[in-house]
Amino acid sequence: MKAALRQALQHRGAKPVLWLLCFSPFVWLVWGAATDALGANPAEYLIRATGDWTLRLLCITLAVTPLRVMLGLPELAKLRRMVGLFTYFYVVLHLLCYSWLDMGFEWGDIAHDIAKRPFILVGFSAFVLLTPLALTSFNRAIRWLGAKRWQWLHRLVYGVAVLAVLHFFWMRAGKSNFAEVFVYASVLSVLLLFRLRGVVGSRVLR
């Protein structure tokens, strides 16, 4: 089984397949909007769907390293960058849908909304923190920053994940619907504990 997974991950078609999988939710949303298949409130559907896909891909991005270590599949590391960039793609779409469909690109109102509503502020903060990670996800940025500084910068992704789950929690609090929030929070907690164990373990070995 492990050999088959390794062979599949090493295949030159692995990245194109992953690209198609990550891009397919966007295709579905565009098709749904064009055919009026997004329900009674398509604007709300688009805002929430792009936010949901941001969270899902963020969790997958954070899960790559634990899976790579536990399964002994170093090939997984080659796919992490693409998933991370798609995470940023969907958060940009999420912000765009909110700014356009909910706020009509009224920048003054958007700024007031961010300052007034904590869950919007937290979500926007997550987007701001994620932006430098997307911009420095390329090899040239690693060489420019240096490996150690690059690694420290990209640890911000865990803060982004906490803010994203908090944003989702506050958004669902109005309807007292926390089932999905619990799932994302649980996944994030496991991933953070894995990361913390790795950091503590490396310090002990020193």
Side-chain angles (χ1 to χ4, degrees):
M1 182 66 175
K2 182 177 177 179
L5 280 173
R6 176 163 289 172
Q7 187 176 8
L9 291 169
Q10 289 174 343
H11 194 278
R12 63 181 181 180
K15 285 188 176 180
V17 168
L18 179 63
W19 191 93
L20 288 173
L21 288 173
C22 291
F23 194 66
S24 58
F26 174 72
V27 175
W28 154 250
L29 291 173
V30 171
W31 181 85
T35 59
D36 197 22
L38 300 182
N41 192 340
E44 182 180 0
Y45 186 97
L46 286 169
I47 293 170
R48 292 195 174 183
T50 51
D52 288 344
W53 278 108
T54 299
L55 260 177
R56 290 164 188 160
L57 289 171
L58 182 58
C59 287
I60 293 172
T61 302
L62 292 172
V64 168
T65 296
L67 289 174
R68 174 179 61 82
V69 172
M70 289 187 294
L71 300 177
L73 291 171
E75 294 82 4
L76 282 172
K78 298 178 181 179
L79 306 179
R80 181 174 52 195
R81 179 186 299 176
M82 184 183 296
V83 182
L85 287 173
F86 266 107
T87 301
Y88 189 70
F89 172 70
Y90 282 101
V91 79
V92 169
L93 288 178
H94 183 56
L95 182 61
L96 180 63
C97 288
Y98 158 75
S99 301
W100 175 27
L101 302 175
D102 197 26
M103 305 299 291
F105 287 134
E106 293 291 339
W107 303 113
D109 292 342
I110 292 172
H112 179 73
D113 203 37
I114 291 172
K116 181 181 178 181
R117 296 202 284 177
F119 92 96
I120 299 291
L121 176 60
V122 165
F124 184 73
S125 299
F127 164 75
V128 170
L129 289 178
L130 196 59
T131 297
L133 306 190
L135 294 176
T136 58
S137 63
F138 304 97
N139 293 334
R140 185 175 296 179
I142 299 174
R143 292 193 296 269
W144 179 64
L145 289 171
K148 185 170 290 188
R149 281 185 293 180
W150 185 88
Q151 287 175 352
W152 275 105
L153 175 64
H154 280 253
R155 285 174 184 170
L156 285 174
V157 70
Y158 293 96
V160 169
V162 172
L163 291 174
V165 172
L166 183 58
H167 170 71
F168 191 50
F169 168 79
W170 267 335
M171 188 271 290
R172 286 297 178 91
K175 296 186 177 180
S176 299
N177 183 359
F178 301 110
E180 287 185 82
V181 178
F182 177 76
V183 171
Y184 286 117
S186 299
V187 170
L188 175 61
S189 297
V190 170
L191 295 173
L192 286 174
L193 285 172
F194 181 90
R195 176 63 187 173
L196 182 62
R197 187 186 69 173
V199 171
V200 172
S202 64
R203 289 181 178 176
V204 170
L205 289 174
R206 290 176 190 173

